[in-house]
Amino acid sequence: DPQWLPPFKLEKAYFASIRMGPSFPTWLQSQVDILELAMSDAGINDAFPDWFSTTFSKATFLEMSQNQIAGGLPTNMENMSLEKLYLDCNQIADRIPRMPRNLMLLDISYNLISGVVPQSICELQKLNGLDLSNNLLEGEFPHCSLMRRVSFFRASNNNFSGNFPSFLQGWTELSFLDLSWNKFSGTLPTWIGNFSKLEFLQLKHNMFSGNIPDSITNLGKLSHLDLASNGLSGPLPQHLSNLTGMMINHDTTKYEERLSGCDYKSFVNMKGQELQYNQEKVTIVTIDLSSNFLTGVIPEGIVSLDGIINLNLSWNNLNGKIPYMIGAIKSLESLDLSKNNLYGEIPQSLSDLTYLSYLNLSYNNLTGRVPSGTQLCSLYDQNHHLYDGNDGLCGPPLQKSCYKYDASKQGYQIRSKQGFHIGSFSIGVTVGFMAGLWVVFYILLFKKSWMIAYFSFLDNMYDEVYVKAIVVWAKLTGRTDERLRMSQVAWSSIDSDEYYE
């Protein structure tokens, strides 16, 4: 034990990153008046001693994160006066015991805690921050409808099941909700749009199905929406422009309390990989709806969300065209629309995204010339596959020439300016020709006098053409005028005899 400790009783002690382990120091057992104690990253790999709850019964703040504390949670915790308890990033196992009633913040994330969440957790009516993430918890969450003060709730990376927790409807103070990487199923409720203070919503890697409720666009403060890797279907919500929290001029709330003593990492699927962001950047402005079964078009209103950094709609069944003014999302750094059924040309405005560092439009039905621009050329140099699977695209940097496409397009435009379309014009000529031909046939079959006159006209025309041909031939071969005149008389005589017969 340290010899330099004062002989009097401690009320506050902070020993962060000071190696005091491997066991809990025995001198702590005498500090019964301590109110705040922080021993994070202290190298402790022991289990909680029996005297822990009794010695620190007056304590309101305890932080033991980033150690290797094993075994179960302290016994008789319900008799403690704790308001804030951080035990994250240890190796604590077993189940969740009954907790102190005055708890306002509880973080037991990144441990080996198993079993179901006990009903007693719902008695913590003063709680406003709860982090159960990265454990071995399972089953359905108890119905904690009375915990109406909770603003931060993370239960990700467990084995929770059942439908979207219905008791959350009463948690109107929620600003952060993360239920990702579990086994939740069923549809998303329409009342999800009632969380007027919600800024962070992450439900990825579950088994949710059905449509995304249109009411989700009522979340005016939302700046992080991640519903990736579920079974969601139907169209995208139409009024995405209501998500003003994703606009540049929107001020996001800063969390006054952190809920992770360890170096918490938020995983965001962007730039073609799952990137890690620390606690300060956990609310990176993003929309990730990838790996679902979404259909329909991308709403034009999405371009008004000019504060989005990451937009990922890949691996869906979206069709229609890429929004023409997508270049208005000036903050965009990562855009992934790959593996959909999008068609039409790539908007030229895409080249206006000067912050864009990742682009993937592969495996759609896009056509036309690839937009020019230094930024897009740089992106292609980094990833030669960003246009793969779009056989209708042409022009640099692709090897496929746009010559034939441009020539065909130019001809169409010229004919359009002249006032007709080649397809309709051809049909009109064909129909007119057939109609006129049938009129002629009708007259020749039923009008004998007209038939005689018609064939006489053809004979005369034939004779005239023939005589002119003889004259030209005579000039070219040097025949005499007499022989030519006799030939003409002979042909005239033959024609006269045939006519009178």
Side-chain angles (χ1 to χ4, degrees):
D1 293 345
Q3 300 299 317
W4 46 265
L5 283 174
F8 50 82
K9 300 296 183 179
L10 297 174
E11 290 187 357
K12 297 182 181 181
Y14 299 92
F15 300 106
S17 301
I18 297 177
R19 298 293 171 179
M20 306 181 68
S23 299
F24 282 91
T26 56
W27 57 264
L28 282 175
Q29 188 173 357
S30 63
Q31 303 300 320
V32 293
D33 293 325
I34 203 161
L35 299 178
E36 297 182 9
L37 175 63
M39 296 179 61
S40 61
D41 192 21
I44 299 174
N45 59 14
D46 197 5
F48 286 105
D50 295 337
W51 47 262
F52 191 90
S53 298
T54 304
T55 299
F56 301 128
S57 61
K58 297 180 182 180
T60 58
F61 176 93
L62 281 177
E63 180 179 0
M64 301 283 177
S65 59
Q66 295 188 79
N67 286 287
Q68 298 182 36
I69 301 173
L73 289 164
T75 57
N76 300 320
M77 292 188 68
E78 61 180 314
N79 297 322
M80 300 179 73
S81 302
L82 284 173
E83 295 178 358
K84 300 176 183 179
L85 177 61
Y86 298 96
L87 298 176
D88 50 287
C89 297
N90 282 286
Q91 297 182 18
I92 300 171
D94 209 355
R95 297 172 181 265
I96 301 175
R98 187 176 291 273
M99 290 289 176
R101 288 180 176 271
N102 291 328
L103 268 182
M104 299 171 62
L105 294 171
L106 174 61
D107 188 350
I108 53 176
S109 62
Y110 289 90
N111 280 287
L112 303 174
I113 301 171
S114 59
V116 299
V117 177
Q119 183 66 37
S120 61
I121 204 81
C122 302
E123 299 173 4
L124 308 178
Q125 297 185 28
K126 295 182 179 180
L127 205 66
N128 57 44
L130 176 61
D131 195 340
L132 306 175
S133 64
N134 294 276
N135 278 290
L136 303 175
L137 296 167
E138 60 186 4
E140 295 189 27
F141 208 89
H143 194 77
C144 297
S145 58
L146 299 179
M147 297 167 58
R148 297 180 180 275
R149 298 185 181 183
V150 178
S151 62
F152 188 109
F153 180 40
R154 180 161 49 214
S156 57
N157 288 83
N158 282 285
N159 292 309
F160 288 119
S161 58
N163 293 333
F164 190 87
S166 59
F167 64 85
L168 290 178
Q169 185 173 4
W171 291 19
T172 56
E173 298 296 316
L174 268 179
S175 60
F176 187 108
L177 177 60
D178 185 358
L179 303 179
S180 61
W181 291 96
N182 280 289
K183 298 178 181 178
F184 288 109
S185 58
T187 59
L188 299 180
T190 56
W191 49 260
I192 200 171
N194 295 340
F195 297 124
S196 59
K197 298 182 180 181
L198 196 63
E199 298 181 18
F200 185 104
L201 178 59
Q202 186 158 276
L203 305 176
K204 66 181 178 182
H205 289 281
N206 278 286
M207 296 183 288
F208 290 116
S209 59
N211 291 5
I212 301 175
D214 288 335
S215 60
I216 207 168
T217 60
N218 295 337
L219 304 177
K221 291 189 175 182
L222 196 66
S223 60
H224 184 109
L225 176 61
D226 192 342
L227 308 179
S229 300
N230 280 283
L232 299 171
S233 58
L236 297 177
Q238 291 301 306
H239 303 291
L240 293 177
S241 58
N242 292 342
L243 299 176
T244 54
M246 298 187 180
M247 296 181 180
I248 290 178
N249 295 326
H250 178 75
D251 293 328
T252 57
T253 301
K254 302 299 181 183
Y255 298 112
E256 296 180 358
E257 298 287 351
R258 63 165 178 77
L259 275 187
S260 185
C262 56
D263 294 330
Y264 175 76
K265 299 294 183 181
S266 176
F267 294 90
V268 180
N269 188 10
M270 62 181 289
K271 299 184 179 181
Q273 54 189 317
E274 197 163 51
L275 301 181
Q276 293 183 356
Y277 288 84
N278 59 27
Q279 183 71 7
E280 294 177 352
K281 295 183 179 179
V282 73
T283 53
I284 180 174
V285 182
T286 182
I287 292 181
D288 189 350
L289 305 178
S290 61
S291 300
N292 281 287
F293 303 98
L294 300 174
T295 56
V297 301
I298 302 174
E300 289 288 341
I302 203 170
V303 304
S304 64
L305 308 180
D306 53 3
I308 295 180
I309 293 176
N310 174 49
L311 178 58
N312 190 345
L313 303 178
S314 63
W315 290 91
N316 279 290
N317 297 315
L318 298 174
N319 52 38
K321 298 182 178 181
I322 300 174
Y324 178 72
M325 291 301 296
I326 195 161
I329 312 178
K330 297 297 184 181
S331 298
L332 205 58
E333 296 181 13
S334 177
L335 175 61
D336 194 344
L337 303 178
S338 62
K339 298 178 177 64
N340 279 288
N341 298 313
L342 301 174
Y343 59 83
E345 296 185 352
I346 301 174
Q348 180 62 43
S349 67
L350 203 60
S351 61
D352 297 335
L353 299 176
T354 54
Y355 290 107
L356 197 64
S357 59
Y358 179 82
L359 174 65
N360 193 349
L361 303 177
S362 62
Y363 299 99
N364 281 285
N365 299 311
L366 301 173
T367 57
R369 184 182 294 274
V370 174
S372 58
T374 305
Q375 185 75 7
L376 294 181
C377 289
S378 298
L379 293 174
Y380 183 79
D381 290 339
Q382 298 170 16
N383 177 19
H384 287 351
H385 302 290
L386 67 90
Y387 299 122
D388 285 1
N390 294 283
D391 296 336
L393 290 178
C394 60
L398 303 179
Q399 299 297 321
K400 185 177 181 180
S401 173
C402 286
Y403 174 75
K404 292 182 179 179
Y405 172 80
D406 289 344
S408 174
K409 186 175 180 180
Q410 184 180 14
Y412 172 82
Q413 292 173 343
I414 292 174
R415 289 190 295 271
S416 297
K417 290 179 180 179
Q418 291 175 343
F420 65 91
H421 187 277
I422 185 62
S424 59
F425 177 76
S426 299
I427 294 173
V429 171
T430 303
V431 172
F433 175 78
M434 295 298 295
L437 189 61
W438 276 107
V439 170
V440 173
F441 284 162
Y442 176 82
I443 292 172
L444 295 181
L445 288 174
F446 298 101
K447 296 289 185 177
K448 184 174 181 181
S449 59
W450 286 23
M451 180 177 64
I452 295 173
Y454 174 72
F455 284 110
S456 297
F457 171 75
L458 291 180
D459 287 341
N460 291 334
M461 287 295 295
Y462 172 79
D463 291 344
E464 184 176 348
V465 171
Y466 180 80
V467 170
K468 288 183 178 180
I470 292 296
V471 172
V472 173
W473 178 255
K475 291 180 179 180
L476 293 175
T477 57
R479 295 181 62 180
T480 62
D481 294 340
E482 181 63 23
R483 292 177 63 186
L484 178 59
R485 186 185 66 79
M486 292 177 62
S487 178
Q488 293 173 337
V489 171
W491 276 103
S492 298
S493 176
I494 293 173
D495 289 342
S496 299
D497 293 341
E498 291 177 353
Y499 176 76
Y500 285 112
E501 288 179 1

